[in-house]
Amino acid sequence: MIMGRGLVNRLLALIAACAALAVASAAQAEDGYRLWLRYAPLEGEALARVRALPLVVHADQDPTVALAGEELVHGLAKLRGEERRPGVVITASRLARPLPPGSLSFECRDSAVPPGGAFAIKPADGGLRISAGEPIGCLYGAFALLRELSLGRNPAKIDLDERPAMPLRLLDHWDDPNGYVLRGYSGRSIFDWWKLPEHLDQRLVDYARADASIGINGAVVNSVNASPLFLTDRYIPKLRRIADAWRPYGIRLYICARFSAPKDVGGLPTADPLDPAVQAWWKARADALYAAIPDFGGFLVKANSEGEPGPQDYHRTHAEGANTLARAVGSRGVVIWRAFVYSAEDQTDRAKQAYNEFVPLDGQFEPNVILQVKNGPVDFQPREPFHPLFGAMPHTRLMFEGQITKEYLGQATHLAYLAPYWKEVLDAQTGRGGTVAQVIAPAGMAGVANTGSDRNWSGSHFNQANWYAFGRLAWDPTLSSAQIAREWAMQTFSRERGFIGKVVPMMIASREAVAEYMTPLGLTHQMATGHHYGPGPWICNLKRPEWNPCYYSRADKGGIGFDRTASGSNALAQYAPSVAAQWADPRTIDEDYLLWFHHVPWDFRTPSGRPLWGELVYRYDRGVATVDEMAATWASLAPYVDPERFADTADFLRIQSREARWWRDASIAYWQSINGLPLPAGTRPPEHSLDYYKALSFPEAPGE
Amino acid sequence: MIMGRGLVNRLLALIAACAALAVASAAQAEDGYRLWLRYAPLEGEALARVRALPLVVHADQDPTVALAGEELVHGLAKLRGEERRPGVVITASRLARPLPPGSLSFECRDSAVPPGGAFAIKPADGGLRISAGEPIGCLYGAFALLRELSLGRNPAKIDLDERPAMPLRLLDHWDDPNGYVLRGYSGRSIFDWWKLPEHLDQRLVDYARADASIGINGAVVNSVNASPLFLTDRYIPKLRRIADAWRPYGIRLYICARFSAPKDVGGLPTADPLDPAVQAWWKARADALYAAIPDFGGFLVKANSEGEPGPQDYHRTHAEGANTLARAVGSRGVVIWRAFVYSAEDQTDRAKQAYNEFVPLDGQFEPNVILQVKNGPVDFQPREPFHPLFGAMPHTRLMFEGQITKEYLGQATHLAYLAPYWKEVLDAQTGRGGTVAQVIAPAGMAGVANTGSDRNWSGSHFNQANWYAFGRLAWDPTLSSAQIAREWAMQTFSRERGFIGKVVPMMIASREAVAEYMTPLGLTHQMATGHHYGPGPWICNLKRPEWNPCYYSRADKGGIGFDRTASGSNALAQYAPSVAAQWADPRTIDEDYLLWFHHVPWDFRTPSGRPLWGELVYRYDRGVATVDEMAATWASLAPYVDPERFADTADFLRIQSREARWWRDASIAYWQSINGLPLPAGTRPPEHSLDYYKALSFPEAPGE
């Protein structure tokens, strides 16, 4: 009996030690590297239910199926709070029958499910079955199931039948061969071309896994301001090494092609797209790429835009340029041609130029050409109306381009959750064949990636949510912003109701706050030159008129805003009449677009009843106040978040809070210098003089 | 009894689960972030001995003592294989007596121990006591004790009495405000000036801890090609935030001062060091820095070198320039003035210029000026004789500058352990007051850091060894290279005899291999322009003669090498006669310095008996063969190393192996084009033509 008690006591001591260890492991520093794939242990009933679930892995030889099995084994073990692998039965070839009761099983070549990533998760044999028409569907199904379980769903009630809303779900990396990331705020490039092909960083595999978990199926690995190096022989083994690593995750590799490459690296005297030698050169390049990478995705091209070379250098159209590359690629892939063009010589409203350039070319593109159109007609501003090209080219496939890296929305340090931003455009009725989401459904979405070498991938923990949301929306644009935020936050931080109930509304409010303290009421591009971070509404001396904030604000003694109605540039006429009608009248327009479309006097009476000047100041103040509320909300969430990620986010909210005031104060000081008006009663005056704000300089700002 | 057994079984199941968890934690991916501070669990007797050691933490209020206590608590728990904290007794103020038998105790204000970091670890009360004169000594003692225990030493036999060999043990960071690291091969800067002062990255704390663990006690946070931003008011809170975080670790913060700052950011019309307004400006700047950072270290200055501004712009001497800054700093800190100067106008042998410039100024510097002298007279080449300034300025404190980041030794991808390199110089007899180590003892050593934002800190796992070795040598230059390698490898990778017995010789051989396949027999700077990575012996067209490899090789039909004897530049005369005598005769000189000091014919008979040309080829081949052996050695060590770090290193050795051949083949092809000689019998011809090697271009190479 004494011995018995001694044994029990020793065992209890061991357990205490173990418990301490478990706590210590759980409490290990969270640096954000694991993103939303943490699979934190479940608790209570959810835990019991997941523990009850055995697993059958279908031992298909396909590497993607193997990954799906490994992900489930890994994910379930983590959700169960064990490091031990859950019970795994490997069957010889097709599913062994009968399965253990309540099993979770795979069927990855089910002819009843369409190809292209679709999957179903259904009750089967008293358990669950993931069915897909192709292996990649099983991988997507595995991630979907783990997501549902992570959210605490009862496996018995899971019944999913999903297929991607669009075929191309891409990330565009604006990365240079030397590791510099244009508009990157999260360190250096994840691609280390210098050490490839011998060395492939583990991060590139982890990246593909994260992409696959949200349905991303392709990545353009270099900047649209493209180096011709990517079209040289020396780069083929480098590209192949990456493509080989990504293939099992269903990520196809694309490159940006520099239009002048036939001259730059091909030894030809011209890059004229109608020159037979140029056409043969592109064909040979495509052949060499496909020989190394059979599933090479294709080329993305920025042509005749911001100084990049293009077909117009040879008096050819964009269609003639795109078609030469498209014929070289043929049925093996696509050529994605960017619609983001504006010309130094063109004196028309910049917002009109892409439409003017491309609409006449509708129907002239090869079938494997896709036109990639930014969400709005200017350049990733905190708010823009949808781009008028959406719906205006019925004979051309159009793709949506969004910017995940927040060049104009506070970059790494300001918290702005972008799902509501993208939804605003995706859900917009074009008046010409449905919503933007419907217009792009035959093509897809591309997001300018926010990934970099920073340990947290995205420059801030909350910027990860934008990568996540972009992938989820490309998979299913009908998902709500709140649902995506909830999913992400539960997987990334905590499932606790006390956390989710506060953090989701905070995220939902965040982008609107940024829009309000930076560019309220439809103002555009008031950012300072170069870094595009802080305010520069006074800037009016840059070489090209459309680079200047004053070009967009049109602020003068008489009023503010860009007249894009018939009395002005008439950009409004580029929209379908039903859409244009909503925006034509400054008295009835949604105030968020007021100054985008109208130049109105400072005393213009807005629908709120306030005069424009008062409304403007009110909006700046509301943006600032929202950030303060966000900071207070976050402070209250300390009990739910590990110390490192909590402090990182709190620090950044402190920066955002200070800088929201900077934006508000500098902007108001400038508008006052223009309109000479006193501040509305009860309004706090700017902290410093306008000269103070004008003199600020930040040579270490990213992008400067 | 049934119940009892049931309980025991349930407890056993819990323990099994715990064991699985513990194994999984230990097996987590090793990404190199933890450096040599992994404290991997001990085994066998060593484990039993460490488990028997209780701990008493002296509850001094000093934050450094607190850190020493935390490090011991953390380190001992890890060495014990537990996450539980070991028994800790916190005493009220001074050491409580009697202590538990066999205790480990602290005494951090022991007047019997000198200040400045010295410590003793001695048997006391049947246990061990760490004694120090100042808190920082206790922190160093804690790290030293953990190191000894990590190496498996019996605590009963530990008896240490250490003091640092020199007061200044610094790292120089060549980091720009925008995050670019000059000659950095490990990502971006660890300093994120843009987000400071609000946000301090955890990495900067972890950095200070790693530095303290090897005795580093200061860091210069910005590049010697200094931005004047660091002297503006806006940077003071940023600098203060870092200094505050570093203070408990004993790391003092220094900045590089741009000599023209009084003009650049001070609004003065001149930076003439004798101008009273300039002097007042520097004084005010120093005062502002000291007001924010009471232990601010001082300024490092690169003046009149490679285009940087300096006192000679105003026809003042280096001493006049340095003294103006030194008076501004006063007794609060130091001014470190770099001796690395060479002039475009000066036609003398570049290796002679620093000596010529500074020796006449000996005795003219303020007492708080230190002259920082590179290890050799040119520029961090794979091998150089020691700098002739060491010993030549008896009235001036001289400091050693080494380059941890391997600009000329294969950067991130080539494995070269640098302790033997630095030892070669530190141990050299100057013939004027002892060894180089003795000459610099009143001042110190500065290493150009190899730290960056890469997860493994240093661009490669083995580059961490150079950071470690530099700190250890600054603490004690009498340590052997092998001992440092052994310490580092045991803490970083594995204590297994089968591992250490092979990896230490591999490390020791590595730098010699690089010297041989890049620049054998005392050749210098044969690196290609810009990146300084691959071979460029043919380069002869750069603007300044001393930038060209041909300037250093002096290769022609008649022979090769730089005549630095009396018949040539007579740089040899800058050394003490006893030293010069060793190197004066090409027939008796150590062959490693042959072509540094002598121009000899291609058929010159070397001490080996081979003609020079044959010896040169032999050395290239030996360098290549050593790399192949290193790769084979590493391949055999797979059982001892975690998969990620094993693969990273294997990949890099594969790159090094290919590139060692590139170096050898390109160099031999070039020398043949000059000397017209056939290859020695049995020698493998270069794989490609000379034109092939000349045409290679790597625009993505770091530093390009």
Side-chain angles (χ1 to χ4, degrees):
Chain A
M1 200 56 196
I2 296 284
M3 259 186 70
R5 191 182 292 156
L7 173 64
V8 169
N9 284 349
R10 283 205 300 281
L11 293 176
L12 283 172
L14 261 171
I15 289 166
C18 272
L21 176 57
V23 168
S25 300
Q28 77 190 15
E30 291 266 9
D31 58 15
Y33 188 80
R34 293 185 295 157
L35 297 162
W36 48 86
L37 297 169
R38 293 165 62 253
Y39 303 133
L42 291 164
E43 290 175 4
E45 267 185 65
L47 177 61
R49 286 190 301 252
V50 170
R51 285 205 167 143
L53 209 61
L55 172 69
V56 173
V57 174
H58 177 198
D60 194 303
Q61 292 297 305
D62 185 272
T64 299
V65 178
L67 284 179
E70 282 168 26
E71 191 70 35
L72 270 181
V73 167
H74 165 76
L76 286 174
K78 303 278 280 182
L79 289 171
R80 290 172 194 203
E82 305 159 359
E83 295 289 334
R84 284 181 312 167
R85 310 195 133 216
V88 176
V89 181
I90 307 277
T91 63
S93 60
R94 292 310 219 169
L95 284 178
R97 286 198 168 64
L99 298 175
S103 282
L104 174 52
S105 59
F106 274 130
E107 176 53 82
C108 305
R109 300 185 192 269
D110 185 340
S111 56
V113 183
F119 64 86
I121 308 180
K122 301 280 180 191
D125 301 330
L128 278 174
R129 171 149 332 133
I130 300 176
S131 311
E134 289 181 339
I136 186 67
C138 267
L139 183 59
Y140 291 154
F143 279 117
L145 177 58
L146 287 166
R147 177 166 58 235
E148 295 294 310
L149 296 175
S150 287
L151 302 182
R153 298 278 154 72
N154 183 345
K157 298 194 177 155
I158 292 175
D159 184 343
L160 295 175
D161 198 344
E162 298 203 7
R163 65 190 66 192
M166 50 194 86
L168 297 182
R169 306 176 301 278
L170 310 188
L171 294 185
D172 290 356
H173 294 269
W174 287 0
D175 296 15
D176 285 342
N178 65 5
Y180 175 75
V181 182
L182 179 70
R183 306 307 176 186
Y185 312 104
S186 51
R188 287 170 62 80
S189 175
I190 59 173
F191 304 103
D192 189 342
W193 301 105
W194 176 232
K195 301 198 187 85
L196 283 163
E198 282 95 340
H199 181 62
L200 180 96
D201 198 289
Q202 176 62 30
R203 187 182 274 268
L204 284 190
V205 178
D206 297 339
Y207 164 82
R209 173 175 166 248
D211 273 354
S213 78
I214 50 174
I216 298 284
N217 70 353
V220 187
V221 298
N222 62 314
S223 172
V224 288
N225 298 334
S227 161
L229 280 181
F230 290 88
L231 288 160
T232 61
D233 282 340
R234 195 164 66 84
Y235 268 63
I236 287 181
K238 299 174 191 276
L239 295 165
R240 174 163 55 188
R241 180 85 198 266
I242 298 173
D244 287 346
W246 284 358
R247 189 167 297 112
Y249 293 97
I251 312 294
R252 290 177 76 174
L253 182 146
Y254 300 70
I255 63 172
C256 277
R258 186 169 171 83
F259 196 80
S260 56
K263 278 172 68 184
D264 302 331
V265 296
L268 297 181
T270 176
D272 180 352
L274 300 194
D275 183 295
V278 169
Q279 292 174 345
W281 187 86
W282 282 110
K283 177 69 166 54
R285 282 293 86 196
D287 289 349
L289 283 160
Y290 279 101
I293 308 170
D295 59 350
F296 176 66
F299 299 121
L300 170 64
V301 185
K302 172 179 178 180
N304 293 120
S305 173
E306 300 184 313
E308 293 299 301
Q312 295 179 339
D313 303 348
Y314 304 95
H315 309 290
R316 312 300 183 190
T317 68
H318 280 287
E320 287 168 323
N323 289 344
T324 287
L325 274 68
R327 288 184 200 111
V329 168
S331 62
R332 300 172 292 190
V334 295
V335 168
I336 305 172
W337 201 264
R338 288 180 96 222
F340 178 68
V341 298
Y342 63 98
S343 159
E345 288 75 44
D346 193 338
Q347 294 307 308
T348 15
D349 177 4
R350 173 171 162 186
K352 292 176 65 178
Q353 295 187 30
Y355 180 100
N356 290 347
E357 190 79 56
F358 284 96
V359 167
L361 300 176
D362 190 29
Q364 296 181 26
F365 292 98
E366 289 282 329
N368 63 332
V369 173
I370 295 173
L371 208 60
Q372 186 167 299
V373 181
K374 289 191 181 183
N375 57 287
V378 170
D379 190 16
F380 301 136
Q381 292 305 301
R383 172 169 275 116
E384 299 189 33
F386 71 87
H387 200 296
L389 275 173
F390 290 118
M393 295 182 69
H395 306 293
T396 308
R397 276 194 293 168
L398 301 187
M399 192 160 162
F400 173 103
E401 180 178 321
Q403 197 190 41
I404 308 175
T405 183
K406 303 182 344 272
E407 175 180 356
Y408 296 99
L409 286 110
Q411 306 176 0
T413 41
H414 293 211
L415 197 164
Y417 171 58
L418 299 184
Y421 175 75
W422 295 320
K423 288 283 286 183
E424 213 166 76
V425 171
L426 291 168
D427 292 349
Q429 287 292 343
T430 63
R432 296 163 173 151
T435 62
V436 171
Q438 287 165 331
V439 166
I440 63 170
M445 288 173 64
V448 181
N450 66 358
T451 50
S453 64
D454 277 2
R455 191 63 181 167
N456 67 21
W457 293 93
S458 302
S460 82
H461 300 294
F462 273 85
N463 275 352
Q464 297 177 355
N466 294 325
W467 179 8
Y468 183 89
F470 193 87
R472 294 290 285 143
L473 285 174
W475 180 270
D476 181 2
T478 71
L479 292 171
S480 77
S481 298
Q483 177 179 337
I484 297 171
R486 199 160 44 238
E487 283 179 6
W488 174 81
M490 286 177 82
Q491 294 174 87
T492 304
F493 282 113
S494 164
R495 300 182 186 99
E496 299 270 352
R497 221 173 272 252
F499 177 78
I500 296 298
K502 286 183 154 188
V503 86
V504 170
M506 178 184 99
M507 290 171 72
I508 296 293
S510 61
R511 173 270 188 152
E512 195 60 47
V514 173
E516 292 206 322
Y517 63 69
M518 288 187 180
T519 49
L521 292 176
L523 279 172
T524 317
H525 206 333
Q526 298 301 298
M527 290 77 187
T529 310
H531 54 63
H532 292 169
Y533 187 84
W538 47 81
I539 294 166
C540 212
N541 61 351
L542 302 181
K543 199 173 57 180
R544 290 169 64 153
E546 73 281 4
W547 287 352
N548 289 290
C550 71
Y551 172 89
Y552 296 98
S553 75
R554 308 269 156 138
D556 55 27
K557 186 84 187 164
I560 183 169
F562 199 127
D563 183 2
R564 292 192 166 105
T565 67
S567 57
S569 79
N570 209 14
L572 200 55
Q574 293 183 337
Y575 290 93
S578 61
V579 173
Q582 301 166 29
W583 293 330
D585 186 341
R587 289 164 307 176
T588 57
I589 192 173
D590 179 342
E591 283 169 294
D592 285 336
Y593 298 110
L594 178 60
L595 304 181
W596 182 281
F597 285 110
H598 300 281
H599 185 84
V600 292
W602 294 101
D603 62 358
F604 173 79
R605 179 87 16 196
T606 65
S608 72
R610 278 180 284 266
L612 181 84
W613 173 231
E615 183 68 19
L616 200 62
V617 174
Y618 170 77
R619 298 269 181 146
Y620 283 118
D621 279 331
R622 193 166 65 178
V624 171
T626 303
V627 176
D628 289 347
E629 285 159 28
M630 287 162 58
T633 298
W634 185 253
S636 76
L637 298 177
Y640 302 102
V641 184
D642 52 283
E644 188 166 336
R645 291 190 299 170
F646 179 80
D648 288 349
T649 304
D651 285 353
F652 286 6
L653 282 164
R654 199 171 308 122
I655 291 172
Q656 185 174 8
S657 181
R658 173 170 59 75
E659 294 182 344
R661 283 175 172 70
W662 168 34
W663 263 100
R664 179 247 185 224
D665 288 0
S667 302
I668 289 179
Y670 175 67
W671 306 133
Q672 283 196 290
S673 79
I674 297 289
N675 63 21
L677 294 172
L679 281 171
T683 306
R684 180 177 63 75
E687 193 179 342
H688 300 284
S689 71
L690 178 59
D691 285 345
Y692 170 89
Y693 295 111
K694 284 177 156 181
L696 291 176
S697 152
F698 306 94
E700 77 280 356
E704 186 62 280
Chain B
M1 196 58 195
I2 296 283
M3 258 186 69
R5 192 182 290 155
L7 174 64
V8 168
N9 285 349
R10 283 204 301 281
L11 294 175
L12 284 171
L14 261 171
I15 289 165
C18 272
L21 177 58
V23 167
S25 301
Q28 76 191 15
E30 292 266 10
D31 58 15
Y33 188 80
R34 294 185 295 159
L35 296 163
W36 49 86
L37 297 170
R38 294 166 60 254
Y39 303 132
L42 292 163
E43 289 175 6
E45 268 186 65
L47 176 61
R49 287 192 300 252
V50 169
R51 284 204 167 145
L53 208 63
L55 172 69
V56 173
V57 175
H58 178 198
D60 195 303
Q61 292 298 309
D62 185 274
T64 299
V65 178
L67 283 180
E70 281 168 27
E71 191 69 33
L72 271 179
V73 167
H74 165 76
L76 286 173
K78 302 278 281 180
L79 289 171
R80 291 173 193 202
E82 304 159 359
E83 295 288 335
R84 282 184 311 169
R85 311 193 131 214
V88 177
V89 180
I90 308 278
T91 63
S93 59
R94 292 312 220 169
L95 283 179
R97 285 193 171 66
L99 298 176
S103 283
L104 173 52
S105 59
F106 274 129
E107 176 53 83
C108 305
R109 300 183 192 271
D110 183 341
S111 57
V113 183
F119 63 87
I121 307 180
K122 301 279 181 191
D125 300 329
L128 278 174
R129 174 154 324 140
I130 300 175
S131 311
E134 288 180 341
I136 187 65
C138 266
L139 183 60
Y140 292 154
F143 279 116
L145 177 58
L146 286 166
R147 178 166 56 235
E148 295 293 311
L149 296 175
S150 287
L151 302 181
R153 299 275 154 71
N154 183 345
K157 297 193 175 156
I158 292 175
D159 185 342
L160 296 176
D161 198 345
E162 299 204 8
R163 65 189 68 190
M166 50 194 87
L168 297 182
R169 305 177 300 279
L170 309 188
L171 294 186
D172 289 356
H173 294 268
W174 286 0
D175 296 14
D176 285 342
N178 65 5
Y180 176 77
V181 183
L182 179 69
R183 307 305 177 188
Y185 313 104
S186 51
R188 287 171 63 80
S189 174
I190 59 174
F191 304 103
D192 189 341
W193 299 106
W194 177 234
K195 301 198 187 87
L196 283 163
E198 281 96 341
H199 181 63
L200 181 96
D201 197 290
Q202 176 61 28
R203 189 181 273 267
L204 284 189
V205 178
D206 297 338
Y207 163 83
R209 171 174 167 250
D211 273 354
S213 77
I214 50 174
I216 298 286
N217 69 352
V220 187
V221 297
N222 62 315
S223 173
V224 288
N225 298 334
S227 162
L229 281 181
F230 290 88
L231 288 159
T232 61
D233 282 340
R234 195 163 66 84
Y235 268 63
I236 287 181
K238 298 174 190 278
L239 295 165
R240 172 163 57 187
R241 179 87 199 264
I242 298 173
D244 287 347
W246 285 357
R247 189 168 296 111
Y249 293 96
I251 311 294
R252 289 177 76 172
L253 183 145
Y254 299 70
I255 63 173
C256 277
R258 185 168 172 85
F259 195 80
S260 56
K263 279 172 67 182
D264 302 330
V265 295
L268 298 181
T270 176
D272 180 351
L274 300 193
D275 183 295
V278 169
Q279 294 174 343
W281 187 86
W282 283 110
K283 177 69 165 57
R285 281 293 86 192
D287 289 349
L289 283 160
Y290 279 100
I293 307 169
D295 59 350
F296 176 68
F299 299 120
L300 169 64
V301 185
K302 172 179 178 180
N304 292 120
S305 173
E306 300 185 314
E308 294 299 302
Q312 294 179 338
D313 303 347
Y314 304 95
H315 310 290
R316 311 300 184 189
T317 68
H318 281 286
E320 286 168 323
N323 289 344
T324 286
L325 272 68
R327 288 183 200 112
V329 168
S331 63
R332 300 172 290 189
V334 296
V335 168
I336 305 172
W337 201 263
R338 288 180 97 221
F340 178 68
V341 299
Y342 63 99
S343 160
E345 288 75 45
D346 194 338
Q347 294 307 307
T348 14
D349 177 3
R350 173 171 161 185
K352 292 176 66 178
Q353 295 186 30
Y355 181 101
N356 290 348
E357 189 81 55
F358 284 98
V359 166
L361 301 176
D362 190 29
Q364 295 182 26
F365 291 99
E366 289 284 328
N368 63 334
V369 173
I370 295 173
L371 209 59
Q372 185 166 299
V373 181
K374 289 191 181 184
N375 58 287
V378 170
D379 190 17
F380 301 137
Q381 293 304 302
R383 172 169 275 116
E384 299 189 33
F386 71 87
H387 201 296
L389 274 173
F390 291 119
M393 295 182 68
H395 306 293
T396 307
R397 277 194 293 169
L398 301 188
M399 191 159 164
F400 174 102
E401 181 178 320
Q403 197 190 41
I404 308 174
T405 184
K406 304 180 347 269
E407 175 180 355
Y408 296 99
L409 286 110
Q411 305 174 2
T413 41
H414 293 210
L415 197 163
Y417 171 59
L418 299 183
Y421 174 77
W422 295 320
K423 287 284 286 181
E424 214 167 75
V425 170
L426 291 168
D427 291 349
Q429 287 292 344
T430 65
R432 295 161 172 153
T435 63
V436 171
Q438 286 165 331
V439 166
I440 64 170
M445 287 172 65
V448 180
N450 66 358
T451 50
S453 64
D454 278 1
R455 191 63 182 168
N456 67 20
W457 293 92
S458 303
S460 82
H461 300 293
F462 274 85
N463 274 353
Q464 296 177 356
N466 294 325
W467 179 8
Y468 183 89
F470 193 88
R472 294 289 284 143
L473 284 173
W475 180 269
D476 181 0
T478 71
L479 292 172
S480 78
S481 298
Q483 178 179 335
I484 296 171
R486 200 160 43 240
E487 282 180 5
W488 174 80
M490 286 177 82
Q491 295 173 86
T492 304
F493 282 113
S494 164
R495 302 181 185 99
E496 299 271 350
R497 220 174 272 252
F499 177 78
I500 295 299
K502 286 182 152 187
V503 85
V504 170
M506 178 185 97
M507 290 171 71
I508 295 294
S510 61
R511 173 270 188 154
E512 194 63 44
V514 173
E516 292 207 320
Y517 64 70
M518 288 188 180
T519 50
L521 293 175
L523 279 171
T524 316
H525 205 333
Q526 297 303 295
M527 288 78 186
T529 311
H531 54 64
H532 291 168
Y533 187 84
W538 48 81
I539 294 166
C540 212
N541 61 352
L542 301 181
K543 198 173 59 181
R544 290 170 64 153
E546 73 281 4
W547 286 353
N548 288 289
C550 71
Y551 173 90
Y552 296 99
S553 76
R554 308 268 155 141
D556 55 27
K557 186 82 187 164
I560 183 170
F562 198 128
D563 183 1
R564 291 192 166 105
T565 66
S567 57
S569 79
N570 209 14
L572 200 55
Q574 292 183 339
Y575 290 93
S578 60
V579 173
Q582 302 165 29
W583 292 331
D585 186 341
R587 290 164 309 178
T588 56
I589 191 173
D590 178 342
E591 284 168 293
D592 285 335
Y593 298 110
L594 177 60
L595 304 182
W596 181 282
F597 285 110
H598 301 281
H599 185 83
V600 293
W602 293 101
D603 62 356
F604 173 80
R605 180 83 22 192
T606 65
S608 72
R610 278 179 284 267
L612 181 83
W613 173 229
E615 182 68 20
L616 200 61
V617 175
Y618 171 76
R619 298 268 180 146
Y620 283 117
D621 279 332
R622 193 165 66 181
V624 171
T626 303
V627 175
D628 289 346
E629 285 159 27
M630 287 161 58
T633 298
W634 186 253
S636 76
L637 298 176
Y640 302 102
V641 184
D642 52 282
E644 188 166 337
R645 292 191 298 169
F646 179 79
D648 288 349
T649 304
D651 286 351
F652 285 7
L653 282 164
R654 198 169 311 124
I655 292 173
Q656 186 174 9
S657 181
R658 174 171 58 77
E659 294 182 344
R661 282 174 174 71
W662 168 35
W663 263 100
R664 178 243 184 227
D665 288 0
S667 302
I668 288 179
Y670 175 68
W671 305 134
Q672 281 195 292
S673 79
I674 297 289
N675 64 21
L677 293 172
L679 281 171
T683 306
R684 180 177 63 76
E687 193 178 342
H688 300 283
S689 71
L690 178 59
D691 284 344
Y692 170 90
Y693 294 112
K694 284 177 157 181
L696 291 175
S697 153
F698 305 94
E700 76 280 357
E704 186 62 278

